[in-house]
Amino acid sequence: MEARSAGLMRFFLGALVSFCAACPSARRNEPVDRVASAIVAVGVSAASPLSVARSHHTATLLFDGRILVCGGYTSIGFTTDACEIIDPATSQVVPVAGMSDGGSNCSPGDRAGHTATLLPDGRVLVTGGVQENGGTPDWITGPCRYDPVANQWTSVPAFTTGRAFHIASLLNSEGDVIIVGGQTASNSYTGTCRRYLHDGGVGSRFDLPCGALTQTRGYHAAFAFDGGVYVVGGVGASAAYRDTWEVYMDGGWTLGGTTMPDGGRASLVVEPRGDGTVMVFGGHNATTTFATGFMFDPGMGTFSPEQPVLGEDAGRTGHTMNRSPTTDDTIVVGGDVFPFEDGGAGIGSVVALAADGDAGRTTATPRYAHQSVLVNVADAGGPALVVIGGRSAGVSLASVEVMCLDNLAARRCAVGGRCVAAASTNPTSVCQICDIDAGGYVALPDGTGCATTEFCRVNLTCTGGLCDGGVPRDCSGVADECNDGACDEVNDVCVKVPKIDAGAACADAGSDAGADGDAGSDAGSGTDAGTDGDAGSDAGAGADDDAGVVADAGAVGDAGTGADAGSDAGAGAGADAGVRGFSPLPSCASCSSTLGDGGGALIWISNALIFLSLRRRRRR
């Protein structure tokens, strides 16, 4: 029996330790640090920068809304093979596999002045480019193909003539692509055309000629229309700036019968519009950087000089153009003024080309030889233009800027690389709101009431754009005889916390003991009188028994005739209401409901331990 009791004692002690380990701590959580967001006060907002500064690179919008950025000049005369992906939904930039990983035909992987075409299966075809490492340029013949799902580059059989600053255009839904023209050496240009046949596998190849331009040209512009590919402008041998256009249709090239109104130009940019016409803007020739533009109607094959002159006081080349889906304006970003030199400072203004010549915003960094990509992110509030890299004052840029296109109509702010609605609250500070005039988040006036769930404080006010001050939340209203009131700093609500003295007396005793500890009237309500013996012999004096712990002897029962508890059980200073009995649940209902299952079990186990201790003394 002694061994059995000792075993039971070890069992209950182990259970008690387990329950205590699971008990919630009364210690409050440490407060969470508050980080104030930088207040952006420009119409174009900086996003996360590229990991590699670059110019003359490519930026391709993938089907999942991300942007693949590859290659370019890291500095004058030095190219890179590095690629990275911009996620406009998060404004984050992540490096991915470089072009040199694609095998022998991707070598050299580092290049600038190449093209990148999104194929119908989601992969990206990169063609041509020039490789420089401070020495003689290498004009690249090897294409590469990138799979954004696998983050993997593969080789594609090479074409015969290396080239850069050419054009590539998707021909059909099967994924066939043509490349045409380009620079093949210093001051040397080609008019050759090669067709890429895409079969989705290793059989893809550049093995089909597609005629040749009637005029050699590089730094030209191209667009697709009605099943054909049109090229406009460019520069040819002996610095001959082209004022002509040609179209690829039914396997061959045809020279158009009209010319551009202002003469030949290279590095011009074209942007198809919703009405089927194409806007042509900017560029340069040997003496002039153009600030004019005009419309081209490919269906009629005509230019329209009678259209209002589009542009500004300074011409630009090395710029980008995108059409706004909200206003149908054409957005011109950056560029440089002739002569187009590596040390040019670049232009920072952004212009909306429309009939009334609306003025726009400015980029934080003037730039040219950059890329701009139109994105439409639902949770960013609509369309935005992502401006990527470029060059300024001879230095390649790693910066990425985001412009909300309807900023031009003053409807959204560009902040943190994202577009947010006017008067919307900064998610990192309730004391900052989007202000259209400022172009970003601004602080609410000091003293404005505010609320936050991060801290257990009330009566907070805005100070310097942060919600602060106030007084601690009063949680005394939830306290009772078994619990203190405390504030949960995670959820900012008042909760009950058990008092340390779990044995304190409670209002709802739950037993029928006599006021002076005379158990004689109730002790005999139980059974098993003969088996367990006389309670009076083991009752003990009050020194060993706590009325709040050993409760209601009738729960176990002893001495069916009354157990003579009055002679022994009630004599001591603390032996109240029976000796051997203990309740399987705490007698105080309010404590039990407050402590929950774990708290009730702790009291039950405590009762059991005292009972077993008394039993062992009796057996001895």
Side-chain angles (χ1 to χ4, degrees):
M1 183 61 69
E2 189 76 26
R4 180 182 177 188
S5 296
L8 287 171
M9 286 289 288
R10 286 193 296 270
F11 167 78
F12 281 118
L13 284 171
L16 179 62
V17 171
S18 297
F19 274 111
C20 285
C23 291
S25 172
R27 182 177 61 86
R28 296 186 179 185
N29 295 326
E30 294 299 323
V32 179
D33 289 336
R34 288 176 289 181
V35 179
S37 173
I39 299 177
V40 182
V42 294
V44 180
S45 170
S48 297
L50 300 171
S51 61
V52 176
R54 61 187 81 209
S55 66
H56 302 88
H57 50 289
T58 56
T60 309
L61 182 64
L62 305 177
F63 287 134
D64 62 6
R66 299 180 299 161
I67 303 169
L68 175 68
V69 180
C70 280
Y73 285 107
T74 58
S75 60
I76 297 173
F78 291 88
T79 52
T80 181
D81 75 330
C83 297
E84 39 203 318
I85 285 182
I86 300 172
D87 187 349
T90 62
S91 299
Q92 298 302 307
V93 180
V94 178
V96 295
M99 289 181 284
S100 294
D101 297 336
S104 58
N105 279 346
C106 287
S107 180
D110 56 307
R111 60 185 77 193
H114 52 290
T115 63
T117 306
L118 181 65
L119 302 175
D121 64 4
R123 291 184 284 184
V124 177
L125 178 69
V126 171
T127 67
V130 58
Q131 184 240 13
E132 291 191 59
N133 283 311
T136 303
D138 183 6
W139 307 91
I140 299 172
T141 61
C144 296
R145 190 173 54 208
Y146 179 69
D147 184 342
V149 175
N151 186 27
Q152 184 177 33
W153 289 92
T154 55
S155 295
V156 176
F159 43 85
T160 54
T161 304
R163 65 190 75 197
F165 304 106
H166 54 293
I167 65 100
S169 181
L170 185 67
L171 279 180
N172 50 44
S173 59
E174 285 74 33
D176 293 351
V177 177
I178 64 169
I179 64 168
V180 63
Q183 186 174 7
T184 58
S186 179
N187 298 318
S188 179
Y189 302 89
T190 183
T192 60
C193 177
R194 301 295 293 181
R195 181 168 178 168
Y196 165 80
L197 299 178
H198 179 68
D199 67 2
V202 296
S204 300
R205 59 201 184 277
F206 272 103
D207 69 346
L208 194 67
C210 46
L213 297 169
T214 59
Q215 297 176 327
T216 61
R217 61 184 83 203
Y219 297 94
H220 46 300
F223 63 92
F225 176 79
D226 197 23
V229 177
Y230 290 73
V231 298
V232 181
V235 60
S238 303
Y241 287 88
R242 309 299 188 191
D243 61 358
T244 57
W245 59 275
E246 303 188 43
V247 58
Y248 176 80
M249 192 80 70
D250 300 325
W253 290 93
T254 301
L255 181 66
T258 55
T259 58
M260 291 187 288
D262 294 331
R265 60 180 76 181
S267 299
L268 68 170
V269 182
V270 299
E271 179 64 31
R273 297 177 62 83
D275 60 2
T277 61
V278 178
M279 177 173 286
V280 182
F281 178 76
H284 70 278
N285 60 23
T287 60
T288 304
T289 301
F290 290 97
T292 57
F294 43 83
M295 307 303 295
F296 176 61
D297 185 342
M300 300 295 295
T302 58
F303 296 97
S304 301
E306 69 274 12
Q307 292 287 329
V309 173
L310 306 173
E312 54 180 5
D313 56 352
R316 53 181 80 195
T317 185
H319 54 292
T320 59
M321 289 205 314
N322 301 83
R323 184 169 64 91
S324 168
T326 58
T327 62
D328 205 36
D329 290 343
T330 298
I331 312 301
V332 180
V333 179
D336 196 10
V337 179
F338 182 84
F340 188 57
E341 296 176 346
D342 289 328
I347 298 172
S349 62
V350 179
V351 178
L353 296 183
D356 57 0
D358 289 341
R361 303 281 185 174
T362 61
T363 57
T365 304
R367 64 187 73 209
Y368 63 97
H370 55 281
Q371 293 290 340
S372 61
V373 179
L374 179 67
V375 298
N376 192 358
V377 183
D379 62 356
L385 199 63
V386 184
V387 182
I388 307 162
R391 186 173 290 177
S392 180
V395 177
S396 293
L397 303 175
S399 61
V400 177
E401 300 185 58
V402 175
M403 180 179 72
C404 309
L405 292 185
D406 53 8
N407 261 355
L408 303 175
R411 288 195 294 271
R412 289 185 299 161
C413 299
V415 287
R418 299 174 60 79
C419 299
V420 297
S424 60
T425 301
N426 186 339
T428 63
S429 176
V430 295
C431 290
Q432 298 173 16
I433 62 169
C434 168
D435 183 272
I436 289 295
D437 293 332
Y441 289 129
V442 297
L444 290 173
D446 288 355
T448 303
C450 59
T452 175
T453 59
E454 293 180 353
F455 298 96
C456 288
R457 303 184 72 81
V458 295
N459 302 327
L460 296 125
T461 58
C462 294
T463 304
L466 294 177
C467 189
D468 209 344
V471 296
R473 184 180 297 279
D474 181 8
C475 291
S476 61
V478 302
D480 56 32
E481 63 272 22
C482 294
N483 301 277
D484 293 321
C487 186
D488 178 350
E489 292 182 342
V490 175
N491 300 304
D492 197 33
V493 294
C494 290
V495 297
K496 293 183 177 183
V497 177
K499 292 182 177 179
I500 296 176
D501 185 6
C506 301
D508 182 17
S511 68
D512 293 327
D516 293 327
D518 185 1
S521 62
D522 292 330
S525 62
T527 61
D528 197 16
T531 304
D532 291 331
D534 186 355
S537 64
D538 285 336
D544 290 332
D545 294 283
D546 188 342
V549 178
V550 183
D552 198 2
V556 173
D558 198 9
T561 61
D564 194 18
S567 60
D568 293 325
D576 187 11
V579 181
R580 297 185 53 243
F582 65 92
S583 172
L585 291 174
S587 60
C588 175
S590 62
C591 292
S592 176
S593 63
T594 301
L595 294 176
D597 293 339
L602 284 174
I603 295 177
W604 188 89
I605 292 172
S606 298
N607 292 343
L609 291 174
I610 293 174
F611 165 71
L612 290 173
S613 176
L614 294 173
R615 188 182 183 92
R616 290 181 62 193
R617 273 208 322 272
R618 189 186 70 175
R619 295 301 179 188
R620 287 197 291 266

